Amino acid sequence: MSEPGRAVASLSLAGFTCFLLLYAPQPILPQLTQDFGVSPATASLAVAAGTASMSLLLIPVSLVADRHGRERVMRFGLAGAGIFAVATALAPD
């Protein structure tokens, strides 16, 4: 695969991974409503909080990426997302 083709494939996979992590809680929203005794609107904050965070941090992180390199920032961000995903799965409550 050529260098531009690898870059496009990597960016596509990174974008897919970000949105996969962002919307992963959506299928379990009814269970969150039952288990925690909250309203559906409150349970939906599990997805809305991630979306809001992404929208608030998009510009600042893009400025950091311009300064320190996009690849470096993307690697750091995806590693952080993976760590938080594993920590969330291992959380006792």
Side-chain angles (χ1 to χ4, degrees):
M1 184 179 281
S2 67
E3 189 67 30
R6 287 179 54 205
V8 169
S10 297
L11 286 172
S12 298
L13 187 59
F16 177 74
T17 303
C18 288
F19 283 103
L20 181 69
L21 288 169
L22 185 63
Y23 293 109
Q26 195 164 9
I28 62 166
L29 290 179
Q31 186 177 357
L32 292 176
T33 300
Q34 290 176 348
D35 290 351
F36 293 106
V38 296
S39 70
T42 303
S44 71
L45 289 175
V47 175
T51 306
S53 298
M54 187 174 70
S55 68
L56 290 173
L57 293 173
L58 187 64
I59 303 276
V61 171
S62 68
L63 296 174
V64 170
D66 284 343
R67 182 174 197 137
H68 297 288
R70 289 180 179 88
E71 181 182 350
R72 185 181 206 183
V73 172
M74 285 180 64
R75 285 181 186 210
F76 179 75
L78 287 173
I83 289 168
F84 280 115
V86 170
T88 301
L90 297 176
D93 56 4

